Amino acid sequence: MNNTINIKKLTPVLMAFFAMGIVDLVGIATNYIKVDFKLSDTYANLFTSMVFLWFLIFSIPTGLLMNKIGRKNTVVISLVLTFFALIVPFIDYNLTTILVSFTLIGIGNTLMQVSLNPLLSNIVSEDKLASKLTLGQFIKAIAAFIAPIIAAWSLIKFGDWKLLFGFYAIISLVCGVYLYLTKIPEQPIIGKATSFKDCFKLFEDKYILLLFVGILVHVGIDVGVNTTGPKLLIERCGLQLADAGYVTSIYFVFRTVGCFMGTFILSRFSSLKFFIISVIMLSIGVVGLYFSYSTLAIYICVSILGFGNSNVFSIIFSKALQQLPNRNNEISGLMITGIFGGALFIVAMGFTSDFMGGQIGAVVILTLCIAYLAFLVTRIKKFEKTESN
């Protein structure tokens, strides 16, 4: 009976993870917008950065909001915001409405990512949290990898790639209603209200700070490959955008496979060892991009990057939650603030690509992100060794 109740509670939460993946459609959407309005890399990437900028501004306030209205209610509000964000381009399609749409997607997804991950901890035990977070990321990745396929199909079949937005708007609405109707008990917050100052003081824990930067660069890799992959195929292989966009799906296919495998691996084996393997694969993939000038070679490198980056978020996030379990709402807000790395690094990639006259500039930024994860491995090993002693 308990298992049935847990499944009933878990299902709408996992469906919300699919809606969370909507944020990843901005990568392929940016490529279409660049063509539609004839924008430079720097200018086009600024639109993408508008999505991730809001993670910097709203993540900690969302953590405080959860303390007042609860995690489930915060997720429901985020899904409503996402729905409205996705119907804006159908009202009128210009740079202003796209900016409004991307802004609302960013705000909605900020609320969702901050509240949905700890909401999952209300349903599953601590020892299963990393694997269940990975399952959520697996479902999120499904939404991400089918986005370019839907966009290309919509363009070819109906002459309008923006139908992609309509599809995900319906998904957001359904998820929001289902979750709202599902009862998920939450423990009341005990003690004094948390302030902004209290949240930022968590950075005094150097381990939390290192993990925060890890989230920052993980998202930089995710958004960077998502946006740069099609541009590499256009630049080096002469593909048209509708064809080049499929490389984003390749990335998310392997990211999805990696998440699916991680769901089982992380429930049985050391997350640190799996993290080390992930960083090794990321390193192989990014080095390969320096020398890849055929469609197949780029596909292979992007596939390796997708698999390597698939479980990084879940591992880092779960370690942060386990470090201070009595501060989960604040830790979640703080960690999700790191998603603004998508804004930080995408702008850097656009600038370096324009400066260096090609997408090699973006690959350099990806390399720096992966180098930090390699450094983080050594810090986690040192911390866990100290804790065990």
mmCIF file of all heavy atoms in Angstrom, residues 1 5 66 139 149 165 237 268 281 289 317 326 344 381:
data_model
loop_
_atom_site.group_PDB
_atom_site.id
_atom_site.type_symbol
_atom_site.label_atom_id
_atom_site.label_comp_id
_atom_site.label_asym_id
_atom_site.label_seq_id
_atom_site.Cartn_x
_atom_site.Cartn_y
_atom_site.Cartn_z
ATOM 1 N N MET A 1 0.828 -1.214 0.000
ATOM 2 C CA MET A 1 0.000 0.000 0.000
ATOM 3 C C MET A 1 0.855 1.254 0.000
ATOM 4 O O MET A 1 0.630 2.209 -0.736
ATOM 5 C CB MET A 1 -0.921 -0.018 1.225
ATOM 6 C CG MET A 1 -1.843 1.213 1.306
ATOM 7 S SD MET A 1 -3.037 1.207 -0.053
ATOM 8 C CE MET A 1 -3.968 2.679 0.319
ATOM 9 N N ILE A 5 1.165 4.376 -2.725
ATOM 10 C CA ILE A 5 1.046 5.800 -2.378
ATOM 11 C C ILE A 5 2.287 6.555 -2.822
ATOM 12 O O ILE A 5 2.201 7.650 -3.387
ATOM 13 C CB ILE A 5 0.823 5.960 -0.860
ATOM 14 C CG1 ILE A 5 -0.540 5.378 -0.461
ATOM 15 C CG2 ILE A 5 0.913 7.422 -0.453
ATOM 16 C CD1 ILE A 5 -0.788 5.331 1.036
ATOM 17 N N MET A 66 9.989 29.115 -0.525
ATOM 18 C CA MET A 66 9.599 27.740 -0.186
ATOM 19 C C MET A 66 9.344 27.585 1.301
ATOM 20 O O MET A 66 8.490 26.816 1.719
ATOM 21 C CB MET A 66 10.687 26.754 -0.624
ATOM 22 C CG MET A 66 10.637 26.378 -2.078
ATOM 23 S SD MET A 66 11.645 24.914 -2.391
ATOM 24 C CE MET A 66 13.276 25.506 -1.966
ATOM 25 N N ILE A 139 14.654 12.062 -17.084
ATOM 26 C CA ILE A 139 13.371 12.501 -17.652
ATOM 27 C C ILE A 139 13.502 13.910 -18.228
ATOM 28 O O ILE A 139 12.967 14.203 -19.295
ATOM 29 C CB ILE A 139 12.276 12.429 -16.576
ATOM 30 C CG1 ILE A 139 12.050 10.964 -16.171
ATOM 31 C CG2 ILE A 139 10.983 13.058 -17.066
ATOM 32 C CD1 ILE A 139 11.178 10.780 -14.960
ATOM 33 N N ILE A 149 14.253 17.939 -32.564
ATOM 34 C CA ILE A 149 13.516 17.101 -33.512
ATOM 35 C C ILE A 149 12.145 17.706 -33.791
ATOM 36 O O ILE A 149 11.708 17.806 -34.943
ATOM 37 C CB ILE A 149 13.383 15.666 -32.966
ATOM 38 C CG1 ILE A 149 14.769 15.030 -32.789
ATOM 39 C CG2 ILE A 149 12.510 14.822 -33.877
ATOM 40 C CD1 ILE A 149 14.742 13.684 -32.083
ATOM 41 N N PHE A 165 7.175 25.529 -29.116
ATOM 42 C CA PHE A 165 6.741 26.229 -27.924
ATOM 43 C C PHE A 165 5.331 25.793 -27.501
ATOM 44 O O PHE A 165 5.045 25.621 -26.317
ATOM 45 C CB PHE A 165 6.765 27.749 -28.153
ATOM 46 C CG PHE A 165 8.135 28.361 -28.077
ATOM 47 C CD1 PHE A 165 9.126 27.989 -28.976
ATOM 48 C CD2 PHE A 165 8.429 29.325 -27.137
ATOM 49 C CE1 PHE A 165 10.384 28.549 -28.926
ATOM 50 C CE2 PHE A 165 9.690 29.901 -27.073
ATOM 51 C CZ PHE A 165 10.675 29.506 -27.970
ATOM 52 N N CYS A 237 31.368 21.786 -41.498
ATOM 53 C CA CYS A 237 30.864 20.765 -42.421
ATOM 54 C C CYS A 237 29.885 21.311 -43.451
ATOM 55 O O CYS A 237 29.428 20.572 -44.326
ATOM 56 C CB CYS A 237 30.204 19.635 -41.634
ATOM 57 S SG CYS A 237 31.259 18.919 -40.347
ATOM 58 N N ARG A 268 24.188 1.849 -6.317
ATOM 59 C CA ARG A 268 24.982 0.679 -5.931
ATOM 60 C C ARG A 268 26.464 0.986 -5.715
ATOM 61 O O ARG A 268 27.137 0.283 -4.968
ATOM 62 C CB ARG A 268 24.845 -0.420 -6.996
ATOM 63 C CG ARG A 268 23.454 -1.035 -7.064
ATOM 64 C CD ARG A 268 23.330 -1.957 -8.266
ATOM 65 N NE ARG A 268 22.054 -2.669 -8.261
ATOM 66 C CZ ARG A 268 20.911 -2.167 -8.705
ATOM 67 N NH1 ARG A 268 20.901 -0.924 -9.187
ATOM 68 N NH2 ARG A 268 19.799 -2.855 -8.666
ATOM 69 N N MET A 281 35.545 11.271 -19.371
ATOM 70 C CA MET A 281 34.812 11.267 -20.637
ATOM 71 C C MET A 281 34.642 12.688 -21.179
ATOM 72 O O MET A 281 34.788 12.917 -22.388
ATOM 73 C CB MET A 281 33.449 10.599 -20.452
ATOM 74 C CG MET A 281 33.534 9.136 -20.092
ATOM 75 S SD MET A 281 31.969 8.270 -20.304
ATOM 76 C CE MET A 281 31.826 8.224 -22.078
ATOM 77 N N LEU A 289 36.972 17.698 -29.985
ATOM 78 C CA LEU A 289 36.380 18.794 -30.758
ATOM 79 C C LEU A 289 37.429 19.689 -31.416
ATOM 80 O O LEU A 289 37.158 20.321 -32.430
ATOM 81 C CB LEU A 289 35.472 19.645 -29.862
ATOM 82 C CG LEU A 289 34.125 19.052 -29.471
ATOM 83 C CD1 LEU A 289 33.338 20.029 -28.609
ATOM 84 C CD2 LEU A 289 33.300 18.672 -30.713
ATOM 85 N N PHE A 317 24.835 18.083 -6.592
ATOM 86 C CA PHE A 317 23.685 18.575 -5.838
ATOM 87 C C PHE A 317 23.409 17.710 -4.615
ATOM 88 O O PHE A 317 23.140 18.230 -3.516
ATOM 89 C CB PHE A 317 22.459 18.615 -6.745
ATOM 90 C CG PHE A 317 21.320 19.438 -6.209
ATOM 91 C CD1 PHE A 317 21.221 20.789 -6.501
ATOM 92 C CD2 PHE A 317 20.341 18.859 -5.407
ATOM 93 C CE1 PHE A 317 20.172 21.555 -6.006
ATOM 94 C CE2 PHE A 317 19.289 19.616 -4.916
ATOM 95 C CZ PHE A 317 19.210 20.965 -5.208
ATOM 96 N N ASN A 326 19.838 19.883 7.249
ATOM 97 C CA ASN A 326 18.830 20.706 7.919
ATOM 98 C C ASN A 326 18.647 22.071 7.265
ATOM 99 O O ASN A 326 17.825 22.878 7.704
ATOM 100 C CB ASN A 326 19.203 20.900 9.396
ATOM 101 C CG ASN A 326 20.532 21.618 9.569
ATOM 102 O OD1 ASN A 326 21.448 21.405 8.770
ATOM 103 N ND2 ASN A 326 20.664 22.439 10.600
ATOM 104 N N LEU A 344 26.586 33.144 -17.963
ATOM 105 C CA LEU A 344 27.978 33.594 -17.901
ATOM 106 C C LEU A 344 28.812 33.006 -19.033
ATOM 107 O O LEU A 344 29.512 33.712 -19.764
ATOM 108 C CB LEU A 344 28.564 33.195 -16.544
ATOM 109 C CG LEU A 344 29.977 33.652 -16.220
ATOM 110 C CD1 LEU A 344 30.012 35.160 -16.040
ATOM 111 C CD2 LEU A 344 30.471 32.953 -14.950
ATOM 112 N N LYS A 381 37.621 14.252 -3.110
ATOM 113 C CA LYS A 381 38.396 13.131 -2.570
ATOM 114 C C LYS A 381 39.042 13.508 -1.244
ATOM 115 O O LYS A 381 38.999 12.743 -0.271
ATOM 116 C CB LYS A 381 39.477 12.696 -3.572
ATOM 117 C CG LYS A 381 38.936 11.962 -4.788
ATOM 118 C CD LYS A 381 40.037 11.615 -5.771
ATOM 119 C CE LYS A 381 40.974 10.566 -5.216
ATOM 120 N NZ LYS A 381 41.963 10.144 -6.245
#
